[in-house]
Amino acid sequence: MNKRASYLIEGITKDIIAYIMEDEDVDLSTAITQFHNSETFAKLSDENTGLYIESPAYVYEIFKDEMKYGRLR
């Protein structure tokens, strides 16, 4: 993975974890585990999807849909 993509993925992940903590009122460890175990995170980490160039809010909406429906739609 190139440095630019890695940097963007880390930034998006940080923001999404903060969103999860705020929206679901969970601690840092729970939010990290929840996001890192998601299909959304797997897609975000795959450079081929290009998801890492999207905004954190957009990726978070994808994550929320995954949590609501139990899978990515």
Side-chain angles (χ1 to χ4, degrees):
M1 179 178 304
N2 70 51
K3 286 184 180 184
R4 180 176 177 266
S6 181
Y7 177 77
L8 292 171
I9 291 166
E10 286 178 23
I12 291 170
T13 298
K14 175 186 67 75
D15 290 347
I16 290 175
I17 288 169
Y19 296 156
I20 294 168
M21 290 172 59
E22 183 177 323
D23 289 352
E24 298 186 20
D25 195 28
V26 295
D27 64 3
L28 178 62
S29 179
T30 301
I32 290 171
T33 300
Q34 196 174 11
F35 187 59
H36 279 241
N37 290 331
S38 71
E39 191 177 344
T40 304
F41 180 72
K43 297 290 186 189
L44 175 63
S45 300
D46 180 359
E47 279 186 75
N48 294 324
T49 66
L51 196 55
Y52 68 93
I53 63 171
E54 300 293 344
S55 73
Y58 178 80
V59 178
Y60 185 54
E61 289 302 316
I62 293 170
F63 173 75
K64 289 193 310 187
D65 278 350
E66 178 185 352
M67 293 299 101
K68 182 177 181 180
Y69 298 107
R71 60 183 172 76
L72 288 179
R73 296 180 356 140

